[in-house]
Amino acid sequence: MAETRTEALHKNAEGLDIQAPDIVLSYLADAQIEAVKVVRHAIPSIARAAEIIAGRLKSGGKLAYAAAGSSGLMALADALELPGTFGIHRDRIAILIAGGDDAFRTLAGGPEDDTEEAAAAVAEAGLGKGDCLIAISASGTTPYAVKAIEEAARRGAATIGIANNRDSALLRRAQTAILLETPPELIAGSTRMGAGTAQKIALNMLSTLTAIHLGHVHDGYMVNLMADNIKLRDRAARIVAAVSGRDTDEAARLLEKSGGAVKTAILLAAGAASADAAQKILEEAGQKLRPALSAIEGSKGRTASVLKTEPEKGQQGD
């Protein structure tokens, strides 16, 4: 195999093992900063990918992640937080990691070569037309990730590839390719470092923009969060209060009335007649809070206009 960028030796690697600790740590920190910078170059492709994912989820499809090793951990971290942060239902998300559940205890290298496991995992997840798969591999050649993207595409799913090496197999096979061309690692080939950092940032950006497209973010607030603990219930109340202008006690009361749904509580504060009415307004607004609020304000304006034009009692003509 030809040496790839992620396997090359870093310019500061020579004599690393005999450098002073603060020098080594400075090199490590600088390498992370360099990894962060490369993500900016991928913004156009990340934007395209987010639009595709949002479209599939909005139409009822699934989002799947497929990866091995360190890339699998980056995928896992992003996927597991989507329900709590953005209210995307768990059954709409599939996590395909080489080695299956055993990978969460022992991140063995062998399973990343298992293409049969990858194909089986895609089939078991039920991926097909209307769904989307993101495959992640630092090298861009990991057999598990490459096979997952091939099988998902064969079944009609949209495919997105994220890799840190240019012109790699994964990026060539993906319908939407996201290149994160990070510099060589300070420890050659240890892609849990710079490459992993860039993947983590790109995945955060990708899922957050997807959530914005879906209407799960309003003025920087996570208005579709699942408030299932004390901290999140408090956060939900503060979000309702901030957006609606009500105090937190009233916000908490509205949240109870809405069954814990932040957007519904905000619409109740804005004048929706009931939680069911608020839900209907949200559906008509594509689950986006801003147009839903505008619809309520517009309805108020129309009502006020009708009242003004009605003649007062006793003033009707003969």
Side-chain angles (χ1 to χ4, degrees):
M1 292 176 64
E3 183 179 76
T4 58
R5 189 177 176 90
T6 51
E7 296 291 334
L9 196 65
H10 191 277
K11 62 182 180 181
N12 293 329
E14 188 174 350
L16 183 67
D17 53 301
I18 55 173
Q19 293 284 359
D22 59 334
I23 297 297
V24 174
L25 292 175
S26 294
Y27 287 161
L28 285 167
D30 290 343
Q32 291 287 296
I33 292 167
E34 288 303 311
V36 170
K37 289 179 180 177
V38 306
V39 182
R40 283 195 169 275
H41 300 298
I43 284 176
S45 52
I46 293 172
R48 288 194 297 273
E51 192 170 358
I52 291 166
I53 297 168
R56 297 300 168 108
L57 288 173
K58 191 172 183 178
S59 299
K62 295 179 184 176
L63 170 62
Y65 297 72
S70 297
S71 296
L73 297 181
M74 297 301 104
L76 182 68
D78 195 65
L80 288 180
E81 291 195 334
L82 294 184
T85 305
F86 298 124
I88 298 172
H89 291 293
R90 176 70 62 206
D91 61 5
R92 304 280 297 284
I93 302 164
I95 305 168
L96 318 181
I97 187 167
D101 290 346
D102 288 342
F104 304 142
R105 294 180 292 275
T106 305
L107 206 61
E112 74 175 47
D113 295 332
D114 194 337
T115 56
E116 289 185 7
E117 182 196 338
V122 171
E124 187 177 346
L127 299 183
K129 188 175 181 181
D131 300 320
C132 184
L133 178 126
I134 307 169
I136 308 104
S137 164
S139 66
T141 59
T142 304
Y144 183 95
V146 173
K147 183 62 177 180
I149 216 166
E150 289 175 343
E151 183 64 15
R154 188 185 71 79
R155 291 170 170 269
T159 59
I160 296 161
I162 300 177
N164 299 79
N165 283 315
R166 182 179 293 275
D167 197 33
S168 54
L170 185 70
L171 297 184
R172 289 196 302 270
R173 286 164 174 75
Q175 292 165 355
T176 303
I178 298 174
L179 171 63
L180 306 171
E181 201 166 18
T182 44
E185 304 287 358
L186 191 62
I187 309 299
S190 183
T191 53
R192 72 186 183 90
M193 302 170 75
T197 294
Q199 290 172 3
K200 168 68 172 167
I201 294 169
L203 286 167
N204 281 171
M205 292 166 63
L206 181 54
S207 56
T208 300
L209 184 56
T210 296
I212 290 171
H213 284 318
L214 292 170
H216 299 337
V217 177
H218 178 89
D219 283 345
Y221 293 113
M222 52 179 82
V223 291
N224 211 46
L225 66 83
M226 292 176 64
D228 57 0
N229 63 27
I230 294 172
K231 178 187 73 176
L232 293 179
R233 283 192 289 272
D234 178 65
R235 180 181 296 165
R238 286 186 283 109
I239 290 170
V240 173
V243 177
S244 69
R246 305 293 183 93
D247 61 41
T248 52
D249 289 341
E250 175 66 4
R253 189 189 70 77
L254 291 167
L255 274 168
E256 187 174 347
K257 191 174 179 181
S258 73
V262 172
K263 285 190 274 191
T264 303
I266 292 169
L267 293 180
L268 286 170
S274 66
D276 287 342
Q279 284 293 334
K280 185 176 180 181
I281 294 166
L282 272 173
E283 288 173 13
E284 291 172 350
Q287 296 300 319
K288 295 187 176 182
L289 185 56
R290 197 175 301 278
L293 286 168
S294 295
I296 290 177
E297 286 302 313
S299 177
K300 286 179 180 177
R302 288 191 297 274
T303 301
S305 177
V306 169
L307 289 173
K308 284 181 182 179
T309 57
E310 285 182 355
E312 294 183 13
K313 194 171 183 180
Q315 296 296 316
Q316 279 90 348
D318 293 334

